[in-house]
């Protein structure tokens, strides 16, 4: 619907992690390997393992307890996660969605226990609540059946344009009949919101899990998010972690508090893939002069590229630790608490020196 008039934006947006944050399970959407030698997850319980299988054009996770001679299998119906870090998988059962017990971790190209599951057990029962889907999909129709909320098969996977711009049908109808009018009628544009409402659009999914005070999927861009999610107490210090409160970290930063016009979109363009942290340094240099840096002589030209690693360091996850058969593997998340971190700066400069001396 949007592509016809916004081809350039559409072409880059479909490459982003937002767009691919959920999908139907297909050969293209699933990153993990199902071939022999790569499709097993062994557990700490003797004789108990999980096998990833492809049968009759569909994908399955099968738990096998060889000591008791039993197995349980469920089909992979939906994929959650773009695959940049990893993916988890969901299956349908009687109008509800459940997380499958095995996930995929990109960093080690291996199958792992899914978050929330205990190693060495056969368990397929982790229910997916609407708040999870609110951030990993564009929309999901909810139905109430005898007091139980169930999901209809009417949904839009991934994060699409309307998640941030609202329903575009009236916009398309008007501009299809008024092609010369470039004013952008009947559509929401977060760039025209106040700073607080602009940031709220991102905070819906980047300020932590939150406690709902309104029905799922009822928030609309431009509205006050606090009317839909109970904000965390001020005494709670945000952390950069999976489902962490990155917006809370940003709001505590001196840069944010000293810059009335600063928002998430000051540095981020959600319509494009953004993975080169050195490119973000140019955003910093739009406000900060390199000559005023107290370590300008020591850092030299690296001030043009290393701002992020020094002032927004990666932090080790406290929520997830991966115990692989041969080693432990940790996930790291970029902190949006812009600040001065002497240890992080020293480590970043050391890494930079090592790269230059190779």
């Amino acid at each position: 619907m949007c592509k016809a008039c916004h081809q350039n934006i559409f072409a880059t947006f479909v490459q982003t992690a937002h767009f691919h944050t959920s999908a139907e399970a297909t050969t293209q959407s699933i990153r993990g390997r199902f071939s022999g030698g790569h499709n097993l997850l062994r557990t700490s319980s003797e004789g108990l393992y999980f096998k990833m299988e492809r049968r009759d054009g569909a994908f399955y996770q099968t738990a096998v307890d060889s000591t008791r001679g039993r197995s349980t299998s469920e089909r992979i119906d939906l994929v959650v996660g773009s695959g940049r870090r990893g993916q988890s998988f969901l299956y349908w059962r009687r109008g509800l969605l459940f997380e499958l017990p095995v996930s995929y971790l990109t960093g080690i190209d291996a199958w792992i226990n899914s978050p929330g599951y205990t190693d060495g057990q056969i368990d397929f029962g982790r229910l997916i609540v609407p708040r999870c889907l609110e951030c990993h999909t564009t929309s999901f129709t909810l139905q109430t059946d005898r007091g139980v909320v169930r999901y209809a098969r009417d949904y839009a996977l991934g994060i699409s344009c309307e998640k941030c711009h609202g329903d575009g049908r009236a916009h398309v109808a008007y501009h299809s009949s008024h092609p010369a009018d470039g004013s952008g009628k009947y559509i929401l544009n977060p760039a025209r919101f106040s700073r607080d409402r602009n940031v709220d659009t991102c905070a819906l999914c980047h300020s932590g899990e939150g406690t709902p005070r309104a029905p799922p999927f009822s928030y609309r861009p431009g509205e006050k998010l606090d009317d839909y999610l109970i904000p965390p107490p001020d005494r709670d210090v945000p952390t950069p972690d999976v489902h962490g409160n990155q917006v809370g970290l940003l709001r505590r930063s001196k840069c944010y508090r000293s810059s009335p016009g600063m928002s998430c979109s000051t540095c981020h363009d959600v319509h494009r893939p953004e993975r080169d942290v050195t490119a973000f340094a140019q955003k910093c240099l739009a406000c900060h002069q390199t000559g005023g840096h107290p370590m300008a002589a020591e850092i030299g030209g690296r001030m043009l590229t290393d701002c992020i690693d020094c002032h927004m360091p990666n932090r080790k996850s406290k929520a997830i630790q991966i115990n692989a058969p041969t080693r432990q593997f940790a996930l790291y998340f970029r902190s949006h608490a812009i600040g001065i971190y002497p240890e992080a700066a020293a480590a970043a400069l050391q890494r930079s020196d090592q790269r230059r001396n190779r």
Side-chain angles (χ1 to χ4, degrees), residues 129-272:
V129 299
R131 178 66 180 137
C132 298
L133 298 174
E134 190 170 30
C135 287
H136 283 286
T137 70
T138 296
S139 63
F140 243 91
T141 300
L142 307 182
Q143 299 174 330
T144 302
D145 179 14
R146 287 171 288 186
V148 177
V149 174
R150 300 186 187 277
Y151 305 122
R153 297 299 179 104
D154 177 19
Y155 52 75
L157 299 178
I159 300 300
S160 70
C161 308
E162 69 180 60
K163 193 74 172 184
C164 301
H165 295 284
D167 190 330
R169 287 175 292 185
H171 171 75
V172 171
Y174 174 82
H175 285 283
S176 295
S177 57
H178 300 79
D181 187 347
S183 61
K185 288 185 179 295
Y186 309 117
I187 198 73
L188 298 172
N189 186 346
R192 298 173 184 168
F193 296 166
S194 68
R195 175 168 83 157
D196 286 344
R197 299 294 80 79
N198 181 304
V199 172
D200 276 353
T201 307
C202 303
L204 173 67
C205 297
H206 295 284
S207 62
E209 297 180 23
T211 302
R213 60 173 23 141
F217 294 99
S218 59
Y219 170 77
R220 294 294 177 265
E223 297 178 339
K224 187 177 181 180
L225 185 61
D226 286 356
D227 293 337
Y228 295 85
L229 290 176
I230 299 174
D234 290 338
R235 65 178 181 274
D236 290 356
V237 179
T239 57
D241 214 319
V242 59
H243 303 149
N245 187 358
Q246 292 286 13
V247 169
L249 290 165
L250 176 65
R251 283 174 169 156
R252 287 172 175 247
S253 301
K254 183 178 179 180
C255 280
Y256 186 87
R257 291 184 281 107
S258 302
S259 307
M262 185 180 185
S263 69
C264 306
S265 56
T266 300
C267 300
H268 291 289
D269 180 354
V270 296
H271 299 121
R272 296 177 176 275

